[in-house]
Amino acid sequence: VLGVFGVLGVFGFGLMFVFACGEEISWGQRLFDFETPKFFLKYNAQQELSFHNLFFFHTSLYNPNTILDVFVFLLGIMIPILCFRSEKIRQALDKINFPVIPISFLPIFSMGLIYGLAMVQITDHHLFGPNEIKEFIYSIGFLLYSIAVVSLNKSNAKEEK
């Protein structure tokens, strides 16, 4: 049983990932073959329909790459390590049904973060290729985690019957 926090957490993560997917495919711009609105042609670094590539974000504290890296660092690296090291932290997060990524996923998220940090040091910061690869590594980690959660829930449901 998820409880209120669990349901809100799943719903929140679901909305966040739907938004991220929409952003990554420019809200279907190429899929549905529609023109980029004038605003985005003028203010978007890739001249496509996406908010995370607006010039404003890339010159501010709200840089989408920084926010993503902090999110992945906390959710995919720090929280799993803390839960692995402390049963009290694990129990507190379990009590509110917080989705803790297993420590076995640490290499995937660490690889994406290290790759991203290394590319910032050795390439032009404004290149999109390295960020796209980093985002792809992160998305593989979250996809595998989602598959693991669904598989675990299915096996738990079978055991309850």
Side-chain angles (χ1 to χ4, degrees):
V1 178
L2 285 178
V4 174
F5 286 116
V7 169
L8 289 175
V10 168
F11 184 72
F13 277 117
L15 282 178
M16 180 186 62
F17 286 121
V18 166
F19 181 79
C21 288
E23 281 289 291
E24 284 304 308
I25 63 166
S26 302
W27 299 100
Q29 182 176 354
R30 288 176 198 79
L31 187 66
F32 300 113
D33 196 31
F34 59 88
E35 296 293 318
T36 303
K38 290 179 184 176
F39 173 84
F40 290 96
L41 283 173
K42 184 174 181 180
Y43 296 109
N44 187 291
Q46 294 183 342
Q47 295 187 320
E48 60 188 17
L49 181 62
S50 66
F51 296 98
H52 74 284
N53 288 323
L54 292 174
F55 291 122
F56 163 78
F57 290 120
H58 292 272
T59 58
S60 72
L61 177 64
Y62 307 108
N63 182 314
N65 285 310
T66 303
I67 293 169
L68 177 62
D69 289 343
V70 169
F71 176 78
V72 168
F73 178 72
L74 292 174
L75 197 68
I77 298 172
M78 280 308 300
I79 291 173
I81 289 172
L82 290 172
C83 288
F84 182 76
R85 303 278 300 160
S86 170
E87 189 60 33
K88 287 182 182 180
I89 293 173
R90 178 64 193 211
Q91 289 172 352
L93 292 175
D94 283 347
K95 189 178 266 188
I96 62 168
N97 292 305
F98 188 87
V100 176
I101 296 174
I103 195 93
S104 59
F105 287 79
L106 188 70
I108 296 171
F109 293 110
S110 297
M111 183 175 72
L113 191 62
I114 292 167
Y115 173 83
L117 292 171
M119 289 297 106
V120 165
Q121 298 302 315
I122 62 175
T123 65
D124 179 3
H125 294 125
H126 303 290
L127 291 176
F128 286 100
N131 283 327
E132 299 297 327
I133 293 169
K134 176 187 70 177
E135 291 169 11
F136 178 71
I137 295 168
Y138 290 163
S139 68
I140 293 296
F142 285 116
L143 174 65
L144 293 173
Y145 174 61
S146 300
I147 291 169
V149 168
V150 169
S151 297
L152 180 65
N153 286 336
K154 282 185 178 180
S155 66
N156 286 343
K158 285 180 184 177
E159 288 177 11
E160 290 177 5
K161 287 182 181 182

